[in-house]
Amino acid sequence: MNKRNKIIYWIATIWLALGMTSTAIVQLVKMKEEVQKTSLDLGYPVYFLTIIGIWKLLGVVVILLPKFLLLKEWAYAGFFFLMSGAIISHLCVEDSMADLFGPSLLLILTILSWYFRPANRKLVGSNYKTVRANRS
């Protein structure tokens, strides 16, 4: 991995971790504005905030740790689905473009972090075979 890709990876990953952590905290403490937006504006139940807040924090831990390659893939996929779902939800209720900024930025950071991750953080053919062999 060249130096440029490593820099892109760490910048994207650190900002992704900060963004996911800060939004998870807001969701877990159920800030008034977040409850308003999620339940009244978007129509999701309030308990949804707890579920996605916990999953975001777990995903951040997995993405930052050097091991757990299969869980890392799941975390990136979860972040992708969560942020694309947030974008679609805001579009469906015709929210302003400002409401799309946060989820769009986190979606871009998710893609950049996933794409530029180093080889030792990727689940590739040989790693997958190793994981399967260890399970047997």
Side-chain angles (χ1 to χ4, degrees):
M1 169 177 244
N2 65 34
K3 190 173 185 174
R4 178 188 69 96
N5 289 357
K6 199 173 201 177
I7 291 169
I8 294 170
Y9 166 75
W10 279 111
I11 289 172
T13 303
I14 289 168
W15 280 106
L16 174 63
L18 290 171
M20 289 296 181
T21 300
S22 63
T23 57
I25 291 168
V26 165
Q27 291 160 341
L28 288 172
V29 300
K30 295 189 178 48
M31 283 184 60
K32 182 181 172 187
E33 298 82 7
E34 190 71 12
V35 171
Q36 164 83 28
K37 183 55 124 177
T38 303
S39 64
L40 298 178
D41 298 348
L42 296 176
Y44 293 108
V46 176
Y47 68 81
F48 190 65
L49 293 172
T50 304
I51 295 169
I52 61 176
I54 290 170
W55 282 112
K56 280 181 180 182
L57 291 178
L58 292 173
V60 166
V61 170
V62 169
I63 284 176
L64 292 177
L65 290 176
K67 299 188 186 237
F68 309 110
L69 302 180
L70 185 58
L71 287 177
K72 204 174 292 299
E73 294 295 323
W74 279 85
Y76 278 119
F79 286 167
F80 180 86
F81 295 136
L82 186 60
M83 292 304 106
S84 59
I87 292 167
I88 292 167
S89 294
H90 287 293
L91 289 172
C92 286
V93 297
E94 299 177 358
D95 275 341
S96 68
M97 294 305 286
D99 290 317
L100 296 174
F101 178 75
S104 298
L105 177 60
L106 289 172
L107 179 62
I108 291 167
L109 290 170
T110 298
I111 293 167
L112 286 172
S113 177
W114 175 84
Y115 183 80
F116 286 103
R117 71 198 188 284
N120 66 346
R121 291 177 177 256
K122 291 181 182 180
L123 185 65
V124 293
S126 62
N127 289 337
Y128 179 71
K129 290 176 188 171
T130 303
V131 169
R132 288 188 51 91
N134 289 339
R135 270 195 337 195
S136 301

